[in-house]
Amino acid sequence: MELKLGDVQTTALIPVAIKASESLRPNARVRDDVAVKMIEALGIDTAPYDKFLSHEGVIARTVMLDRMVKDFVAQNPDAVIVNMGAGFDNRFSRVDNGKIFWFDLDLPDSIALRKKVFEERERVQMIEGSVLEDGWVGAVQKEIKKRGGEKTAPVLFLAEGLFMYFTLEEIATLLKVLKDNFQSGTLIAEQNNPMMVKNQKYHDTVKATNAVFKSGTWSGQEIAALCPGMTLVEEHSFNEEMKKHSFGGWLFAALLPKMNDRWASFVWQ
């Protein structure tokens, strides 16, 4: 399989390598057969992308986000879900209830390769586009209207491993695209902090790519403030999950409680 990706898109190999590695463990916390097959097909050295802290962080964020999406789907069984900056994520297979409609949105080079990796699936559509522009919103609006009828079908947007590669101004643009085109919605977005930006050259796996962290916040409230009408609902550090599974994860959470990434949930209506 030929691999041609931009700098930021290349970071999508990090969770693929980690999920593939985790899937092969006897007591895997996350199983992703597509990740295993993809790494085998690429034949790449995964060592630069699978270090201890990144491994535990990616698995923690995956377990936590899977849980949050499943909770949303349980409350909104006919929901439309948009996975922004999807990379090679295979979350649909873990959270599908047989009713939801799922969009995997990413830039053209990522989608082109994604289409080589993933077979077509019912109720899943891959769409090319930048989350900073509105060229992709029509397809999502059409599905929301189709499902909602006179009402608005609930819509959930996911931003995993995305915001840190945008400036705050770009994040504000993304939020405006969402709020201007969808009268209500929920956003679950991964947050990092300013110290991660300052010390990114020491990051155990991202330093193996040419990607650059562009922003960080200490609170999701800083993100909500970028877009009038956007409300922060809750925020949870990856430490909450990491500390359950290893002494190293527990020690990191104890010594550097604010250094890990967080999941923040936002709503607007």
Side-chain angles (χ1 to χ4, degrees):
M1 184 185 299
E2 187 177 6
L3 186 67
K4 291 183 179 180
L5 291 170
D7 292 341
V8 171
Q9 296 94 300
T10 299
T11 62
L13 290 175
I14 296 172
V16 172
I18 289 171
K19 289 172 186 175
S21 171
E22 181 71 21
S23 296
L24 297 175
R25 296 184 178 186
N27 298 311
R29 291 162 286 177
V30 173
R31 295 191 183 278
D32 190 334
D33 293 338
V34 172
V36 174
K37 293 177 181 178
M38 185 174 175
I39 291 300
E40 290 175 350
L42 288 172
I44 60 174
D45 178 13
T46 62
Y49 305 119
D50 190 10
K51 305 294 185 180
F52 173 75
L53 282 178
S54 280
H55 187 107
E56 291 304 296
V58 165
I59 298 305
R61 84 176 186 182
T62 301
V63 169
M64 293 173 76
L65 185 55
D66 281 0
R67 184 187 305 136
M68 287 186 283
V69 175
K70 287 178 181 178
D71 287 346
F72 185 90
V73 169
Q75 297 177 37
N76 305 280
D78 293 307
V80 174
I81 300 176
V82 183
N83 190 15
M84 302 187 297
F88 308 112
D89 181 61
N90 192 28
R91 179 159 285 104
F92 173 80
S93 66
R94 298 191 298 273
V95 303
D96 181 34
N97 67 344
K99 295 182 179 181
I100 59 174
F101 197 96
W102 188 279
F103 289 93
D104 284 309
L105 168 66
D106 213 326
L107 295 172
D109 58 348
S110 289
I111 292 296
L113 184 54
R114 186 179 177 87
K115 287 181 177 179
K116 295 181 181 180
V117 175
F118 289 87
E119 297 178 356
E120 290 189 11
R121 294 180 283 187
E122 185 180 4
R123 293 175 291 102
V124 178
Q125 182 176 340
M126 289 179 270
I127 47 178
E128 298 180 3
S130 166
V131 296
L132 304 180
E133 301 171 354
D134 63 4
W136 55 271
V137 302
V140 180
Q141 290 170 334
K142 181 178 180 181
E143 186 61 34
I144 290 174
K145 184 176 181 181
K146 177 181 175 182
R147 290 176 161 253
E150 295 181 0
K151 299 180 180 180
T152 300
V155 58
L156 171 65
F157 297 90
L158 307 178
E160 180 180 19
L162 184 64
F163 277 21
M164 63 280 297
Y165 300 111
F166 289 158
T167 64
L168 290 178
E169 291 76 14
E170 288 172 326
I171 294 173
T173 297
L174 184 158
L175 298 180
K176 189 174 187 302
V177 169
L178 298 184
K179 196 164 183 299
D180 284 354
N181 291 283
F182 303 95
Q183 66 182 53
S184 63
T186 300
L187 166 67
I188 303 177
E190 181 180 353
Q191 311 287 296
N192 67 338
N193 66 62
M195 289 299 292
M196 293 287 286
V197 180
K198 184 178 180 180
N199 295 286
Q200 60 185 289
K201 65 181 179 181
Y202 303 112
H203 193 284
D204 61 352
T205 53
V206 175
K207 69 182 181 183
T209 74
N210 293 320
V212 176
F213 292 153
K214 294 182 179 180
S215 68
T217 61
W218 291 114
S219 168
Q221 188 56 49
E222 296 172 54
I223 298 298
L226 296 173
C227 182
M230 191 74 60
T231 302
L232 173 66
V233 178
E234 59 181 349
E235 196 164 16
H236 296 280
S237 171
F238 294 179
N239 285 336
E240 295 178 20
E241 186 68 26
M242 275 181 61
K243 66 184 181 182
K244 298 177 183 178
H245 301 287
S246 69
F247 175 73
W250 174 87
L251 187 63
F252 182 85
L255 296 178
L256 299 167
K258 295 185 178 182
M259 278 297 289
N260 214 335
D261 285 11
R262 299 109 50 208
W263 280 119
S265 299
F266 308 86
V267 297
W268 69 95
Q269 54 189 11

